């Protein structure tokens, strides 16, 4: 059975596996990370293997993703969907929660918790409580290929993979985004609709995303020129 991740990544991997797919900036730290479709797929596969093999989630399990718009968040989301999980974007009755350390208190009831530092060099989070997993440390040991066991049903906001892809393509059309575009965005992904419009719409049509955290307005025009931006999503 085809998962949401397969539907999003397979056409991109077939058409342009090595070209930039997600480029992430942080205007406070000055970090810039660029991922090709292959690299994004490898990170998603590592996450999917961790979700399934380390945390024991079966298709249909619920994964709370409480993360900002970031390249690692994209890998986490795609990995959770590859493993057949339903993603929720708020503290909820989840089998697994993937969070930043400042949101640990919100997921005290989750069966399993993994924390992301979101550090550009993959540094772990120090001094985590007993029973909480450091994502950066653990995800590295998992394989960068994944074979899904099936789609568990709803994947986001009660919608199936087909419904989410349809909504993402509609959002891309409404924003005028095509597969030829390089899209600049500083939108958050904190709600299902924001996630669909800010990330999934770009992937669903095969476009390329430049996602900026803590954007500096003075850098926008220069970045648009250097990254060859052809479309923008307002923050």
């Amino acid at each position: 059975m085809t998962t949401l991740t397969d539907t999003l990544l397979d056409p991109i991997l077939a058409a342009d596996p090595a070209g930039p797919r997600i480029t992430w900036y942080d205007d406070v730290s000055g970090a810039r990370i660029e991922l090709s479709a292959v690299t994004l797929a490898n990170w998603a596969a590592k996450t999917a293997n961790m979700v399934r093999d380390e945390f024991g989630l079966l298709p249909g399990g619920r994964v709370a993703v409480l993360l900002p718009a970031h390249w690692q968040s994209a890998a986490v989301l795609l990995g959770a969907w590859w493993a057949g999980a339903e993603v929720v974007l708020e503290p909820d009755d989840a089998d697994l929660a993937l969070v930043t350390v400042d949101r640990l208190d919100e997921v005290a009831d989750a069966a399993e918790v993994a924390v992301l530092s979101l550090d550009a060099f993959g540094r772990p989070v120090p001094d985590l409580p007993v029973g909480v997993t450091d994502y950066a440390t653990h995800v590295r040991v998992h394989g960068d290929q994944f074979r899904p066991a099936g789609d568990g049903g709803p994947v986001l906001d009660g919608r199936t993979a087909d419904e989410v892809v349809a909504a993402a393509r509609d959002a891309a059309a409404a924003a005028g985004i095509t597969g030829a575009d390089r899209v600049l965005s500083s939108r958050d992904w904190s709600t299902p609709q924001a996630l669909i419009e800010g990330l999934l719409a770009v992937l669903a049509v095969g476009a390329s995303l430049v996602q900026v955290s803590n954007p500096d307005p003075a850098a926008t025009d220069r970045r648009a020129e250097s990254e060859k931006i052809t479309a923008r999503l307002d923050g």
Side-chain angles (χ1 to χ4, degrees):
M1 189 176 295
T2 301
T3 67
L4 176 57
T5 298
D6 293 311
T7 301
L8 294 172
L9 290 186
D10 283 355
I12 296 169
L13 289 166
D16 185 14
R21 190 55 46 192
I22 296 180
T23 305
W24 174 77
Y25 282 89
D26 184 339
D27 282 351
V28 169
S29 69
R32 179 186 185 275
I33 302 291
E34 186 163 276
L35 280 73
S36 68
V38 168
T39 304
L40 179 60
N42 287 348
W43 274 94
K46 285 179 175 292
T47 302
N49 281 310
M50 184 176 75
V51 167
R52 182 183 65 188
D53 299 338
E54 187 162 342
F55 295 116
L57 259 73
L58 299 174
R62 290 167 63 84
V63 176
V65 178
L66 308 185
L67 300 169
H70 189 281
W71 73 265
Q72 289 184 32
S73 306
V76 163
L77 290 160
L78 292 169
W81 286 319
W82 225 345
E86 178 184 5
V87 167
V88 295
L89 301 180
E90 57 187 26
D92 208 335
D93 182 19
D95 302 296
L96 167 65
L98 293 115
V99 304
T100 48
V101 69
D102 57 307
R103 301 192 70 177
L104 263 177
D105 289 346
E106 299 178 49
V107 294
D109 294 333
E112 300 281 358
V113 178
V115 173
L116 282 79
S117 68
L118 302 180
D119 181 79
F121 299 100
R123 293 188 182 94
V125 178
D127 303 321
L128 286 175
V130 174
V132 174
T133 298
D134 179 72
Y135 173 87
T137 302
H138 285 244
V139 78
R140 289 192 180 96
V141 305
H142 292 280
D144 57 10
Q145 300 293 318
F146 185 76
R147 180 171 293 181
D151 185 337
V155 295
L156 179 68
D157 196 29
R159 293 184 250 191
T160 66
D162 287 346
E163 290 169 336
V164 169
V165 170
R169 289 174 178 158
D170 287 346
I177 297 170
T178 72
D181 282 316
R182 182 102 160 121
V183 182
L184 179 64
S185 177
S186 57
R187 286 191 178 185
D188 69 67
W189 304 341
S190 60
T191 67
Q193 191 60 32
L195 178 60
I196 287 169
E197 294 176 356
L199 174 64
L200 303 187
V202 177
L203 296 179
V205 296
S208 175
L209 178 64
V210 177
Q211 180 71 34
V212 183
S213 297
N214 306 306
D216 176 5
T220 300
D221 290 341
R222 182 175 68 253
R223 177 169 298 128
E225 182 178 358
S226 66
E227 293 288 353
K228 298 180 172 59
I229 296 301
T230 60
R232 299 191 190 190
L233 292 173
D234 295 330

